Amino acid sequence: MSEWLQCVTCGHRYDANEIRYTCDHDGGLLSVERDHIIDRDAFDDRRSSRAPIDQSGVWRFREGVLNVDKAVTHPEGGTRLYERNGLLFKHEGENPTGSFKDRGMTVAVTQAVRLGATAVACASTGNTSASLAAYAAQAGLRAIVFVPAGKISSGKLAQTLAYGATCLAIRGDFDAAMRLVREACERFGIYLVNSINPFRIEGQKTIIWELLQDLDWEAPDWIVVPAGNLGNTSAFGKALREAHAAGWIARMPRLASIQACGANPFFRSFTEGFAKRHVVTAETIATAIRIGDPVSHDKAVAAIRDTNGIVEEVTDDELMAAKRTIDGMGLGCEPASATTLAGVEKLRAKGVMKDGERTVCVLTGHILKDPEANYRAENVIEIDATMDAVARALR
Ligand code: F0G
């Protein structure tokens, strides 16, 4: 069983154990490819296995992720699928560090250890950095994170620092941090674990595979995902292509990738039939997806094309209203995750999505990730410590 890296634009192949993120010939993104056929029955059997590696919702699918018998695993994945108001929600905030990033990170850090790296780095809006910090701590690697100063939530920053990462707070936005970390990794020989690293994408595919398994391999009509740096959109497309090619599912679901209006380069490109790539200066309350120049653009275009997918945008007001709905169902999520429900509402109003279609929203981050976005002053009544005051307040 072999695995290799392949350029998504020119098809050139590289050894899987080379440290590289782009193609020498045309600068294209790389993806992990393999030549073995995978039988999904093994994945189902492992759900009742007691072996530690099978407890992971990533490594349960290892033949299609990275073929190892030893992994840096928490374990992660195994997130629940909730049905509420006729929609399904897969809550990736239930991962060990509170976001979907752990699925890609367990694979990238496992690969870092295999390659003999001593330090790992990423640029981040907060969740990747927290995840990297946790997995690097577990593996005993030095973690260095590049974050836009003052533009990530206090919860994510505190979490990243607590796990022990060195944090470079960049005076600039995420896109500047991303450019800088790529150069720094090259210069200082640090292993880069942003989603430009193809092993991250391999791990993130398991959100879809686990979801399909949860649905007993009956594909839903729609899968809805927030879109920032476009790693997840890319991973979802690859996961669906591979599941369909292997015969695990009989038909392709459609992907709906949702951006915030203030950070919508992918949406702009979609409306022009992907004729050109856009770069914007990003601004949105959903700091996780405050990204103007998404790294995985080319792979995400393929994901939308191959799934007959769609890209939509929602305003900050729309996504915050959707967050209140999700929070009010007792599920809860961070603002970026709520673009999914806001997107569904918009696409239903446009008649693109129909009532009765089986639709899964992927909630990418936990409600506690962004404390600032949660505080609802209208629900707090400060009173004197008397029963009279209690009675008045509850009237
Ligand atoms: N939702 C959340 C909660 C995120 O943290 C991110 C990305 C996304 C959605 C978008 O996913 O980038 O794959 O399109 N967060 C990255 C980070 C950028 O650094 O934590 P994407």
Side-chain angles (χ1 to χ4, degrees), residues 220-242:
D221 296 295
W222 289 96
I223 297 171
V224 191
V225 61
N229 213 18
L230 299 176
N232 247 2
T233 299
S234 302
F236 286 18
K238 190 168 190 279
L240 289 170
R241 271 195 306 273
E242 291 174 357

Side-chain angles (χ1 to χ4, degrees), residues 97 124-127 129-131 133-134 145 147 150-167 368-372:
T97 75
S124 181
T125 55
N127 279 326
S129 58
S131 184
V145 306
V147 303
K151 295 294 185 184
I152 76 171
S153 81
S154 60
K156 295 173 189 176
L157 178 60
Q159 187 185 12
T160 302
L161 300 177
Y163 288 131
T166 300
C167 182
L368 291 176
K369 280 286 195 172
D370 197 337
E372 292 86 354

